[in-house]
Amino acid sequence: MEKTTHYNTEKDKKAKNLHKETRHIVIYGYTRQELAKVMKHFEAQLPEFVKITIESSNLVTKITLTGMNSGVEMLRFKMNRYHNNLNEIFSKEVVTTEDKSIAQVLGELLTERELTVACAESCTGGNLAHRIVQVPGSSAYFLGSIVSYSNDVKAEVLSVPRSDISAHGAVSKPVVEAMARGAAALMKSDCAIATSGIAGPDGGTRYKPVGTVWIAVKYGERVVSECLHFNGDRNQVIESATNHGMVMLINLLRNNYEMQEDLNDD
């Protein structure tokens, strides 16, 4: 995880008479380079009494604003203003405006709606389940995960048609959508997340290079899927696919999911 902290003053702010206010925002989808360009103007306008901390890992970024000043009301007004500015800048990418993980946000949505989720994982190898169960109380909404690494498990356990695997390959739209439906049917869950991809370092082809991952999420009768091309080593691809799958379901539950343009899967 990369962590960058920018101080707007070199003065010591440890005086006891200073009031402290903190604001958070978690966004998804930006690389470090993209974020630096977008944040340049915002950071430049911050006063000396506000510190900004940026933590970024596998397209998930947490931005923390920490302000210290003797004027409580003025500080709160300024901090709310800067917090709102961040929300406007990243209006479509905001996952939460609190200090929470992606898995926590997903868990809260499922709990609020009294929904359950199951996973069907190939390239993520159980990492989705691992991340979800790190949240206390996840047993209330998480039913389980099938790590369907082989095509036989996809077909025999998740009921993925072998004809789809033969025609399109395991890393494909028809297969990953069938995996999501199969996991939901097998575990009788309201929602499902499925992943199938090439985490590397080997296994890539000209048309499906290393880092290619198909992800599908299901909520009720609706199933949506996306093809992603993640950068980084094997662990980074796995973590990125895990994050993306959870964010897809979060957006679907919030009814603000935007469909990806259709891709040629062959």
Coordinates of all heavy atoms in Angstrom, one line a residue, residues 91-93 217 222 224-226 244 247-262:
S91 N -17.6 12.5 -7.6 CA -19.1 12.2 -7.4 C -19.4 10.8 -7.8 O -20.2 10.1 -7.1 CB -19.9 13.2 -8.2 OG -19.7 13.2 -9.5
K92 N -18.9 10.3 -8.9 CA -19.3 9.0 -9.4 C -18.4 7.9 -8.8 O -18.7 6.7 -8.9 CB -19.2 8.9 -10.9 CG -20.2 9.8 -11.6 CD -20.1 9.6 -13.1 CE -21.2 10.4 -13.9 NZ -21.1 10.2 -15.3
E93 N -17.3 8.2 -8.2 CA -16.3 7.2 -7.7 C -16.4 7.1 -6.2 O -15.6 6.2 -5.6 CB -14.9 7.6 -8.1 CG -14.6 7.6 -9.6 CD -15.1 8.9 -10.3 OE1 -15.3 9.9 -9.6 OE2 -15.2 8.9 -11.5
V217 N -21.7 -9.9 -11.1 CA -22.4 -9.8 -9.8 C -23.9 -10.0 -10.1 O -24.4 -9.6 -11.2 CB -22.1 -8.5 -9.1 CG1 -20.7 -8.3 -8.8 CG2 -22.6 -7.3 -10.0
R222 N -31.1 -9.9 -11.6 CA -30.2 -9.2 -12.5 C -28.8 -9.7 -12.4 O -28.3 -9.8 -11.2 CB -30.3 -7.7 -12.2 CG -29.6 -6.8 -13.3 CD -29.7 -5.4 -12.9 NE -29.0 -4.6 -13.9 CZ -28.7 -3.3 -13.8 NH1 -29.1 -2.6 -12.8 NH2 -28.0 -2.7 -14.8
V224 N -25.0 -8.7 -14.0 CA -24.1 -7.8 -14.9 C -22.7 -8.3 -14.8 O -22.3 -8.9 -13.8 CB -24.2 -6.4 -14.4 CG1 -25.6 -5.9 -14.6 CG2 -23.7 -6.2 -13.0
S225 N -21.9 -8.1 -15.9 CA -20.6 -8.5 -15.9 C -19.7 -7.5 -16.6 O -20.1 -6.7 -17.4 CB -20.5 -9.9 -16.6 OG -21.0 -9.8 -17.9
E226 N -18.4 -7.6 -16.3 CA -17.4 -6.7 -16.9 C -16.1 -7.4 -17.1 O -15.8 -8.3 -16.4 CB -17.1 -5.5 -15.9 CG -18.3 -4.6 -15.7 CD -17.9 -3.4 -14.8 OE1 -16.7 -3.2 -14.5 OE2 -18.9 -2.7 -14.4
H244 N -12.8 -4.8 -7.2 CA -13.8 -4.4 -8.2 C -15.1 -5.2 -8.1 O -16.2 -4.6 -8.3 CB -13.1 -4.7 -9.6 CG -13.8 -4.0 -10.7 ND1 -13.5 -2.7 -11.1 CD2 -14.9 -4.4 -11.5 CE1 -14.3 -2.4 -12.1 NE2 -15.2 -3.3 -12.3
V247 N -17.1 -3.6 -5.3 CA -17.6 -2.3 -5.8 C -18.8 -2.4 -6.8 O -19.8 -1.7 -6.7 CB -16.5 -1.4 -6.3 CG1 -17.1 -0.1 -7.0 CG2 -15.5 -1.0 -5.3
M248 N -18.6 -3.4 -7.7 CA -19.7 -3.7 -8.6 C -21.0 -4.0 -7.9 O -22.1 -3.5 -8.2 CB -19.4 -4.8 -9.5 CG -18.4 -4.4 -10.7 SD -18.0 -5.9 -11.7 CE -19.6 -6.3 -12.5
L249 N -21.0 -4.8 -6.9 CA -22.2 -5.2 -6.1 C -22.7 -4.0 -5.3 O -23.9 -3.8 -5.2 CB -21.9 -6.4 -5.2 CG -23.1 -6.9 -4.5 CD1 -24.3 -7.2 -5.4 CD2 -22.8 -8.2 -3.7
I250 N -21.8 -3.2 -4.7 CA -22.2 -2.0 -4.0 C -23.0 -1.1 -4.9 O -24.1 -0.6 -4.6 CB -21.0 -1.3 -3.4 CG1 -20.4 -2.1 -2.2 CG2 -21.3 0.1 -3.0 CD1 -19.0 -1.5 -1.8
N251 N -22.5 -0.9 -6.1 CA -23.2 0.0 -7.0 C -24.5 -0.6 -7.5 O -25.5 0.2 -7.7 CB -22.3 0.3 -8.3 CG -21.1 1.2 -7.9 OD1 -21.2 2.0 -7.0 ND2 -20.0 1.1 -8.7
L252 N -24.5 -1.9 -7.7 CA -25.8 -2.5 -8.1 C -26.8 -2.4 -7.0 O -28.0 -2.1 -7.2 CB -25.5 -4.0 -8.4 CG -26.6 -4.7 -9.2 CD1 -26.9 -4.1 -10.6 CD2 -26.3 -6.2 -9.4
L253 N -26.4 -2.6 -5.7 CA -27.3 -2.5 -4.6 C -27.8 -1.0 -4.4 O -29.0 -0.8 -4.0 CB -26.6 -2.9 -3.3 CG -26.4 -4.4 -3.2 CD1 -25.5 -4.7 -2.0 CD2 -27.7 -5.2 -3.1
R254 N -27.0 -0.1 -4.8 CA -27.3 1.3 -4.7 C -28.1 1.9 -5.9 O -28.5 3.0 -5.9 CB -26.1 2.2 -4.5 CG -25.5 2.1 -3.1 CD -24.1 2.8 -3.0 NE -23.6 2.9 -1.6 CZ -22.4 3.3 -1.3 NH1 -21.6 3.7 -2.2 NH2 -22.0 3.4 0.0
N255 N -28.3 1.0 -6.8 CA -29.0 1.3 -8.0 C -28.3 2.4 -8.9 O -29.0 3.2 -9.5 CB -30.5 1.8 -7.7 CG -31.4 1.6 -8.9 OD1 -31.2 0.8 -9.7 ND2 -32.3 2.6 -9.0
N256 N -27.0 2.5 -8.8 CA -26.3 3.4 -9.6 C -25.2 2.7 -10.5 O -24.2 3.4 -10.8 CB -25.7 4.6 -8.8 CG -24.7 4.1 -7.7 OD1 -24.4 2.9 -7.7 ND2 -24.2 4.9 -6.9
Y257 N -25.4 1.5 -10.7 CA -24.5 0.7 -11.6 C -24.6 1.2 -13.0 O -25.7 1.3 -13.6 CB -24.7 -0.8 -11.5 CG -23.8 -1.6 -12.3 CD1 -22.5 -1.9 -11.9 CD2 -24.2 -2.0 -13.6 CE1 -21.6 -2.6 -12.7 CE2 -23.4 -2.8 -14.4 CZ -22.1 -3.0 -14.0 OH -21.2 -3.7 -14.8
E258 N -23.5 1.4 -13.7 CA -23.4 1.8 -15.1 C -22.9 0.6 -15.9 O -21.8 0.2 -15.6 CB -22.6 3.0 -15.3 CG -23.1 4.3 -14.6 CD -22.3 5.5 -14.9 OE1 -21.3 5.4 -15.6 OE2 -22.6 6.6 -14.3
M259 N -23.6 0.2 -16.9 CA -23.3 -0.9 -17.6 C -22.0 -0.7 -18.5 O -21.8 0.4 -19.0 CB -24.4 -1.3 -18.6 CG -25.6 -1.9 -17.9 SD -25.4 -3.5 -17.2 CE -25.2 -4.5 -18.7
Q260 N -21.1 -1.7 -18.5 CA -19.9 -1.6 -19.4 C -20.4 -1.8 -20.8 O -21.3 -2.6 -21.1 CB -18.9 -2.6 -18.9 CG -17.6 -2.5 -19.7 CD -16.6 -3.6 -19.3 OE1 -17.0 -4.8 -19.3 NE2 -15.4 -3.3 -18.9
E261 N -19.7 -1.2 -21.8 CA -20.0 -1.4 -23.1 C -19.7 -2.9 -23.5 O -18.8 -3.5 -23.0 CB -19.2 -0.5 -24.1 CG -19.6 1.0 -23.9 CD -18.8 1.8 -24.9 OE1 -18.1 1.2 -25.8 OE2 -18.9 3.0 -24.8
D262 N -20.5 -3.5 -24.4 CA -20.4 -4.9 -24.8 C -19.0 -5.1 -25.4 O -18.5 -4.3 -26.2 CB -21.5 -5.3 -25.7 CG -22.8 -5.4 -25.0 OD1 -22.8 -5.6 -23.8 OD2 -23.8 -5.4 -25.7

